[in-house]
Amino acid sequence: MADTRVSQAGLRQRSAPVEPGSPAILFDRVGVSYGRGRKQTHALIDFNLRVAAGETVALLGPSGSGKSTALNALAGFVRPTSGRVRLAGRDVTELPPARRGIGVVLQSYALFPHMTVADNVAFGLRAQKTPRNEITSRVAEALDMVGMSGYLKRLPRELSGGQQQRVAIARALAIRPAVLLLDEPLAALDAALRQSMLAELQLLKEALPDTAMLYVTHDQAEALALADRIVVMNDARLMDVDTAENLWKRPPTSFTAAFLGGANLLPCTVGRVISGSALVTVGSRTVNADAPAPALGHDDWGPGSAALLCVRPHALQIVSTREKDAFTATVNAAVWRGAVTRLVLSVQSLPDVLVDVDVPGHTPFEVGSVVGLRLPEPAGVLVSTGNAP
Ligand code: ADP
Ligand code: MG
């Protein structure tokens, strides 16, 4: 197992000097457009983000939302159409990629096929004109960190996908970058390997306490496992940014509510609001809901205003139809998923939505059967109606 763990040896990092008070990474109103005229795509619009030294931020969003474009603008692989990118206070917008001192790991590994593992890992050091004897020790250190010390002389084609990705990470680490960018580094691996590599990346993150990391993924499990903060991207824009816990418990937008973990968004009308808690009417019922202060740019929850009640599938309960306060619902689908059975229900007093419910275990439900549905207490958290997915 030794080679599947990130070694704890040789972990100390020498980072570039950081200008006091400047974030390790700064995107300042960055816009990127591809093409011209009618073919123009706005891939990134007015993107602002600060990442502190030692912080890991995940860019999470669906395919095509602009995640890689943001990463590439920082790495220097694409040129921003507007705005600036800064590293430790230094404006690097015009610098070529190799002179930015950033470590980059891509989904496709992008190892040089004709070079040995050692030469691949040494590549950035040679480009920096590092002395030969220092290259040897730095290559050894970087390979040790990803558990690949024994593979110096191998060619990439003699390695498995997971091993190639480890070498790609070692190559990025060899220059001891203050900033490490990873673009869907696990996406090409099979599910089991993805899990073990994710655990290794967690160890790697701990081993690099001063390194700022930007981690692009469309997989919320990866973002939750690794990130100190998550940026949710949609349609070329930053939708929300916060800790995973805050985004999960109090999603500022319906997009984030649905994208992070899946959520039922039930249309409701707000009644009385008292310090973070609201009475809301959902279909035929009036229930309590958490009412966090709405995100900037949205109005307060005024009495009579429309909102969405975010209820997670696992929080709902199937009960007898005779139970007081239960909604009457019909089972449209029941799919066993292992730990839970996912039901899709149509609810009598909520004609416009289908409601997902996760019941524990393998519970057979007949399609077409009528059940009672009970909301938790509080029933959920209010989310603004804007920015529906
Ligand atoms: P993500 O990484 O979130 O999947 P991307 O940043 O790769 O998204 O892409 C954002 C948008 O920009 C998409 O609409 C994509 O088709 C477009 N795009 C990306 N790269 C290019 C390119 N080199 N030329 C033209 N359009 C591109
Ligand atoms: Mg991408």
Side-chain angles (χ1 to χ4, degrees):
M1 285 309 282
D3 70 338
T4 64
R5 300 271 304 277
V6 173
S7 162
Q8 296 290 321
L11 303 178
R12 248 173 307 120
Q13 270 256 297
R14 200 197 310 143
S15 343
V18 173
E19 201 173 281
S22 299
I25 298 171
L26 177 67
F27 289 87
D28 183 10
R29 310 201 65 174
V30 175
V32 177
S33 303
Y34 297 111
R36 284 169 183 277
R38 285 177 57 201
K39 288 210 172 136
Q40 194 174 44
T41 309
H42 298 291
L44 196 64
I45 299 168
D46 200 24
F47 185 78
N48 293 298
L49 180 66
R50 298 164 159 265
V51 182
E55 191 183 23
T56 299
V57 172
L59 298 185
L60 176 69
S63 174
S65 57
K67 308 180 297 293
S68 295
T69 298
L71 180 138
N72 288 334
L74 187 66
F77 302 145
V78 305
R79 174 179 276 256
T81 321
S82 57
R84 313 301 294 175
V85 286
R86 291 174 181 272
L87 295 172
R90 186 167 68 127
D91 188 333
V92 296
T93 317
E94 311 296 334
L95 274 190
R99 293 192 42 213
R100 298 189 184 196
I102 293 178
V104 183
V105 180
L106 304 173
Q107 174 183 340
S108 56
Y109 324 138
L111 297 175
F112 305 109
H114 56 286
M115 284 187 197
T116 63
V117 164
D119 286 337
N120 263 285
V121 175
F123 187 82
L125 297 168
R126 294 214 171 95
Q128 287 182 351
K129 308 249 184 305
T130 309
R132 187 182 287 263
N133 56 344
E134 197 180 335
I135 290 183
T136 310
S137 62
R138 292 257 218 120
V139 167
E141 176 192 287
L143 284 171
D144 188 36
M145 289 190 78
V146 297
M148 289 291 290
S149 295
Y151 296 82
L152 283 170
K153 297 265 156 54
R154 296 271 190 106
L155 289 169
R157 66 164 180 272
E158 297 166 334
L159 303 174
S160 71
Q163 290 172 328
Q164 289 184 47
Q165 193 56 300
R166 288 197 185 94
V167 173
I169 293 169
R171 183 177 59 181
L173 293 175
I175 61 166
R176 293 182 181 157
V179 169
L180 184 61
L181 309 182
L182 304 110
D183 192 348
E184 313 243 11
L186 309 184
L189 306 177
D190 63 59
L193 196 51
R194 206 153 56 226
Q195 280 309 310
S196 68
M197 281 292 286
L198 189 55
E200 287 181 46
L201 287 175
Q202 284 179 311
L203 291 177
L204 188 67
K205 177 189 152 175
E206 282 168 32
L208 301 169
D210 301 325
T211 307
M213 288 202 223
L214 203 55
Y215 187 97
V216 164
T217 182
H218 65 274
D219 183 324
Q220 53 139 338
E222 288 176 25
L224 292 174
L226 286 172
D228 301 310
R229 285 186 301 150
I230 296 178
V231 169
V232 179
M233 302 282 298
N234 183 32
D235 213 2
R237 291 178 197 274
L238 182 154
M239 294 294 293
D240 293 308
V241 53
D242 208 332
T243 62
E245 191 184 356
N246 285 344
L247 291 180
W248 170 271
K249 284 188 180 159
R250 294 179 287 278
T253 59
S254 54
F255 183 82
T256 293
F259 198 78
L260 205 66
N264 295 296
L265 295 166
L266 311 178
C268 65
T269 308
V270 180
R272 199 150 40 90
V273 184
I274 300 170
S275 63
S277 181
L279 277 180
V280 300
T281 305
V282 191
S284 54
R285 303 273 181 279
T286 297
V287 297
N288 278 310
D290 289 329
L296 227 58
H298 295 289
D299 291 336
D300 253 335
W301 312 115
S305 64
L308 297 168
L309 180 65
C310 169
V311 194
R312 303 287 175 187
H314 70 266
L316 288 155
Q317 258 190 312
I318 301 298
V319 295
S320 153
T321 48
R322 287 188 303 273
E323 189 152 322
K324 187 170 157 285
D325 288 343
F327 290 92
T328 303
T330 307
V331 177
N332 284 0
V335 179
W336 183 42
R337 293 184 166 190
V340 297
T341 301
R342 164 65 57 96
L343 304 181
V344 182
L345 306 179
S346 42
V347 178
Q348 226 167 52
S349 68
L350 296 169
D352 299 329
V353 288
L354 291 174
V355 177
D356 293 335
V357 181
D358 285 340
V359 289
H362 188 179
T363 323
F365 276 94
E366 214 161 302
V367 170
S369 60
V370 176
V371 296
L373 177 68
R374 190 160 68 196
L375 294 172
E377 167 61 40
V381 58
L382 289 185
V383 177
S384 300
T385 49
N387 308 312

PDB file of all heavy atoms in Angstrom, residues 34-35 41-43 61-70 183-184 216, ligand 1:
ATOM      1  N   TYR A  34     -14.385  33.851 -26.453  1.00  0.00           N
ATOM      2  CA  TYR A  34     -13.745  33.123 -27.551  1.00  0.00           C
ATOM      3  C   TYR A  34     -14.433  33.530 -28.849  1.00  0.00           C
ATOM      4  O   TYR A  34     -15.653  33.697 -28.874  1.00  0.00           O
ATOM      5  CB  TYR A  34     -13.895  31.611 -27.371  1.00  0.00           C
ATOM      6  CG  TYR A  34     -13.224  31.051 -26.134  1.00  0.00           C
ATOM      7  CD1 TYR A  34     -13.990  30.566 -25.077  1.00  0.00           C
ATOM      8  CD2 TYR A  34     -11.841  30.971 -26.039  1.00  0.00           C
ATOM      9  CE1 TYR A  34     -13.392  30.028 -23.943  1.00  0.00           C
ATOM     10  CE2 TYR A  34     -11.239  30.436 -24.902  1.00  0.00           C
ATOM     11  CZ  TYR A  34     -12.015  29.959 -23.868  1.00  0.00           C
ATOM     12  OH  TYR A  34     -11.426  29.428 -22.761  1.00  0.00           O
ATOM     13  N   GLY A  35     -13.653  33.632 -29.928  1.00  0.00           N
ATOM     14  CA  GLY A  35     -14.241  33.925 -31.242  1.00  0.00           C
ATOM     15  C   GLY A  35     -14.695  35.356 -31.357  1.00  0.00           C
ATOM     16  O   GLY A  35     -14.546  36.163 -30.433  1.00  0.00           O
ATOM     17  N   THR A  41     -18.341  33.542 -28.008  1.00  0.00           N
ATOM     18  CA  THR A  41     -18.852  32.921 -26.784  1.00  0.00           C
ATOM     19  C   THR A  41     -18.275  33.673 -25.593  1.00  0.00           C
ATOM     20  O   THR A  41     -17.057  33.826 -25.490  1.00  0.00           O
ATOM     21  CB  THR A  41     -18.345  31.463 -26.661  1.00  0.00           C
ATOM     22  OG1 THR A  41     -18.618  30.781 -27.866  1.00  0.00           O
ATOM     23  CG2 THR A  41     -19.002  30.746 -25.500  1.00  0.00           C
ATOM     24  N   HIS A  42     -19.128  34.135 -24.712  1.00  0.00           N
ATOM     25  CA  HIS A  42     -18.651  34.720 -23.467  1.00  0.00           C
ATOM     26  C   HIS A  42     -18.484  33.572 -22.476  1.00  0.00           C
ATOM     27  O   HIS A  42     -19.457  33.088 -21.908  1.00  0.00           O
ATOM     28  CB  HIS A  42     -19.632  35.767 -22.942  1.00  0.00           C
ATOM     29  CG  HIS A  42     -19.793  36.919 -23.881  1.00  0.00           C
ATOM     30  ND1 HIS A  42     -18.778  37.822 -24.111  1.00  0.00           N
ATOM     31  CD2 HIS A  42     -20.826  37.297 -24.661  1.00  0.00           C
ATOM     32  CE1 HIS A  42     -19.184  38.719 -24.993  1.00  0.00           C
ATOM     33  NE2 HIS A  42     -20.427  38.426 -25.354  1.00  0.00           N
ATOM     34  N   ALA A  43     -17.256  33.117 -22.324  1.00  0.00           N
ATOM     35  CA  ALA A  43     -16.999  31.924 -21.507  1.00  0.00           C
ATOM     36  C   ALA A  43     -16.825  32.264 -20.037  1.00  0.00           C
ATOM     37  O   ALA A  43     -17.009  31.411 -19.165  1.00  0.00           O
ATOM     38  CB  ALA A  43     -15.759  31.204 -22.024  1.00  0.00           C
ATOM     39  N   GLY A  61     -19.268  23.331 -11.074  1.00  0.00           N
ATOM     40  CA  GLY A  61     -20.366  23.742 -11.945  1.00  0.00           C
ATOM     41  C   GLY A  61     -20.530  22.756 -13.074  1.00  0.00           C
ATOM     42  O   GLY A  61     -19.659  21.908 -13.294  1.00  0.00           O
ATOM     43  N   PRO A  62     -21.627  22.877 -13.794  1.00  0.00           N
ATOM     44  CA  PRO A  62     -21.864  21.939 -14.898  1.00  0.00           C
ATOM     45  C   PRO A  62     -20.878  22.165 -16.031  1.00  0.00           C
ATOM     46  O   PRO A  62     -20.174  23.180 -16.074  1.00  0.00           O
ATOM     47  CB  PRO A  62     -23.294  22.260 -15.341  1.00  0.00           C
ATOM     48  CG  PRO A  62     -23.588  23.623 -14.827  1.00  0.00           C
ATOM     49  CD  PRO A  62     -22.727  23.835 -13.615  1.00  0.00           C
ATOM     50  N   SER A  63     -20.837  21.226 -16.942  1.00  0.00           N
ATOM     51  CA  SER A  63     -19.965  21.318 -18.099  1.00  0.00           C
ATOM     52  C   SER A  63     -20.298  22.575 -18.903  1.00  0.00           C
ATOM     53  O   SER A  63     -21.455  22.901 -19.106  1.00  0.00           O
ATOM     54  CB  SER A  63     -20.170  20.057 -18.939  1.00  0.00           C
ATOM     55  OG  SER A  63     -19.453  20.154 -20.121  1.00  0.00           O
ATOM     56  N   GLY A  64     -19.262  23.298 -19.311  1.00  0.00           N
ATOM     57  CA  GLY A  64     -19.471  24.495 -20.117  1.00  0.00           C
ATOM     58  C   GLY A  64     -19.743  25.749 -19.314  1.00  0.00           C
ATOM     59  O   GLY A  64     -20.024  26.805 -19.877  1.00  0.00           O
ATOM     60  N   SER A  65     -19.624  25.685 -17.987  1.00  0.00           N
ATOM     61  CA  SER A  65     -19.975  26.850 -17.171  1.00  0.00           C
ATOM     62  C   SER A  65     -18.820  27.846 -17.035  1.00  0.00           C
ATOM     63  O   SER A  65     -18.980  28.892 -16.421  1.00  0.00           O
ATOM     64  CB  SER A  65     -20.480  26.404 -15.794  1.00  0.00           C
ATOM     65  OG  SER A  65     -19.523  25.605 -15.128  1.00  0.00           O
ATOM     66  N   GLY A  66     -17.631  27.501 -17.559  1.00  0.00           N
ATOM     67  CA  GLY A  66     -16.525  28.453 -17.543  1.00  0.00           C
ATOM     68  C   GLY A  66     -15.427  28.134 -16.549  1.00  0.00           C
ATOM     69  O   GLY A  66     -14.502  28.939 -16.363  1.00  0.00           O
ATOM     70  N   LYS A  67     -15.477  26.962 -15.931  1.00  0.00           N
ATOM     71  CA  LYS A  67     -14.497  26.604 -14.906  1.00  0.00           C
ATOM     72  C   LYS A  67     -13.078  26.538 -15.476  1.00  0.00           C
ATOM     73  O   LYS A  67     -12.152  27.139 -14.944  1.00  0.00           O
ATOM     74  CB  LYS A  67     -14.855  25.245 -14.279  1.00  0.00           C
ATOM     75  CG  LYS A  67     -16.273  25.137 -13.778  1.00  0.00           C
ATOM     76  CD  LYS A  67     -16.559  23.777 -13.164  1.00  0.00           C
ATOM     77  CE  LYS A  67     -16.448  22.596 -14.117  1.00  0.00           C
ATOM     78  NZ  LYS A  67     -17.483  22.591 -15.170  1.00  0.00           N
ATOM     79  N   SER A  68     -12.916  25.767 -16.550  1.00  0.00           N
ATOM     80  CA  SER A  68     -11.580  25.622 -17.131  1.00  0.00           C
ATOM     81  C   SER A  68     -11.088  26.941 -17.686  1.00  0.00           C
ATOM     82  O   SER A  68      -9.887  27.241 -17.628  1.00  0.00           O
ATOM     83  CB  SER A  68     -11.589  24.579 -18.256  1.00  0.00           C
ATOM     84  OG  SER A  68     -11.882  23.318 -17.736  1.00  0.00           O
ATOM     85  N   THR A  69     -12.000  27.736 -18.215  1.00  0.00           N
ATOM     86  CA  THR A  69     -11.604  29.042 -18.746  1.00  0.00           C
ATOM     87  C   THR A  69     -11.007  29.901 -17.637  1.00  0.00           C
ATOM     88  O   THR A  69      -9.975  30.556 -17.834  1.00  0.00           O
ATOM     89  CB  THR A  69     -12.823  29.729 -19.391  1.00  0.00           C
ATOM     90  OG1 THR A  69     -13.266  28.917 -20.479  1.00  0.00           O
ATOM     91  CG2 THR A  69     -12.467  31.109 -19.901  1.00  0.00           C
ATOM     92  N   ALA A  70     -11.618  29.878 -16.458  1.00  0.00           N
ATOM     93  CA  ALA A  70     -11.081  30.651 -15.334  1.00  0.00           C
ATOM     94  C   ALA A  70      -9.684  30.142 -14.969  1.00  0.00           C
ATOM     95  O   ALA A  70      -8.741  30.918 -14.805  1.00  0.00           O
ATOM     96  CB  ALA A  70     -12.026  30.558 -14.137  1.00  0.00           C
ATOM     97  N   ASP A 183      -7.343  20.750 -12.881  1.00  0.00           N
ATOM     98  CA  ASP A 183      -8.561  20.800 -13.692  1.00  0.00           C
ATOM     99  C   ASP A 183      -9.106  19.389 -13.889  1.00  0.00           C
ATOM    100  O   ASP A 183      -8.576  18.622 -14.688  1.00  0.00           O
ATOM    101  CB  ASP A 183      -8.268  21.446 -15.050  1.00  0.00           C
ATOM    102  CG  ASP A 183      -9.555  21.781 -15.805  1.00  0.00           C
ATOM    103  OD1 ASP A 183     -10.635  21.313 -15.382  1.00  0.00           O
ATOM    104  OD2 ASP A 183      -9.473  22.506 -16.817  1.00  0.00           O
ATOM    105  N   GLU A 184     -10.131  19.042 -13.143  1.00  0.00           N
ATOM    106  CA  GLU A 184     -10.755  17.716 -13.204  1.00  0.00           C
ATOM    107  C   GLU A 184      -9.702  16.601 -13.205  1.00  0.00           C
ATOM    108  O   GLU A 184      -9.708  15.735 -14.069  1.00  0.00           O
ATOM    109  CB  GLU A 184     -11.643  17.597 -14.460  1.00  0.00           C
ATOM    110  CG  GLU A 184     -12.566  18.790 -14.656  1.00  0.00           C
ATOM    111  CD  GLU A 184     -14.031  18.438 -14.590  1.00  0.00           C
ATOM    112  OE1 GLU A 184     -14.366  17.297 -14.185  1.00  0.00           O
ATOM    113  OE2 GLU A 184     -14.846  19.318 -14.918  1.00  0.00           O
ATOM    114  N   VAL A 216     -10.723  22.507 -10.103  1.00  0.00           N
ATOM    115  CA  VAL A 216     -11.905  22.541 -10.976  1.00  0.00           C
ATOM    116  C   VAL A 216     -12.551  21.164 -11.022  1.00  0.00           C
ATOM    117  O   VAL A 216     -11.872  20.157 -11.232  1.00  0.00           O
ATOM    118  CB  VAL A 216     -11.505  22.965 -12.410  1.00  0.00           C
ATOM    119  CG1 VAL A 216     -12.613  22.638 -13.402  1.00  0.00           C
ATOM    120  CG2 VAL A 216     -11.165  24.447 -12.447  1.00  0.00           C
TER     121      VAL A 216
HETATM  122  P1  ADP B   1     -16.100  24.050 -18.172  1.00  0.00           P
HETATM  123  O1  ADP B   1     -14.655  23.858 -17.858  1.00  0.00           O
HETATM  124  O2  ADP B   1     -16.900  24.594 -17.035  1.00  0.00           O
HETATM  125  O3  ADP B   1     -16.729  22.814 -18.729  1.00  0.00           O
HETATM  126  P2  ADP B   1     -15.141  25.826 -20.263  1.00  0.00           P
HETATM  127  O4  ADP B   1     -14.453  26.909 -19.539  1.00  0.00           O
HETATM  128  O5  ADP B   1     -14.287  24.786 -20.891  1.00  0.00           O
HETATM  129  O6  ADP B   1     -16.231  25.163 -19.315  1.00  0.00           O
HETATM  130  O7  ADP B   1     -16.041  26.447 -21.423  1.00  0.00           O
HETATM  131  C1  ADP B   1     -16.887  27.550 -21.218  1.00  0.00           C
HETATM  132  C2  ADP B   1     -17.522  27.921 -22.550  1.00  0.00           C
HETATM  133  O8  ADP B   1     -16.533  28.366 -23.465  1.00  0.00           O
HETATM  134  C3  ADP B   1     -18.238  26.777 -23.230  1.00  0.00           C
HETATM  135  O9  ADP B   1     -19.367  27.294 -23.865  1.00  0.00           O
HETATM  136  C4  ADP B   1     -17.225  26.295 -24.225  1.00  0.00           C
HETATM  137  O10 ADP B   1     -17.863  25.694 -25.319  1.00  0.00           O
HETATM  138  C5  ADP B   1     -16.521  27.563 -24.624  1.00  0.00           C
HETATM  139  N1  ADP B   1     -15.117  27.352 -25.000  1.00  0.00           N
HETATM  140  C6  ADP B   1     -14.160  26.803 -24.210  1.00  0.00           C
HETATM  141  N2  ADP B   1     -12.958  26.785 -24.829  1.00  0.00           N
HETATM  142  C7  ADP B   1     -13.163  27.338 -26.061  1.00  0.00           C
HETATM  143  C8  ADP B   1     -12.313  27.618 -27.198  1.00  0.00           C
HETATM  144  N3  ADP B   1     -11.008  27.341 -27.158  1.00  0.00           N
HETATM  145  N4  ADP B   1     -12.896  28.188 -28.284  1.00  0.00           N
HETATM  146  C9  ADP B   1     -14.209  28.492 -28.302  1.00  0.00           C
HETATM  147  N5  ADP B   1     -15.057  28.254 -27.277  1.00  0.00           N
HETATM  148  C10 ADP B   1     -14.549  27.684 -26.181  1.00  0.00           C
END
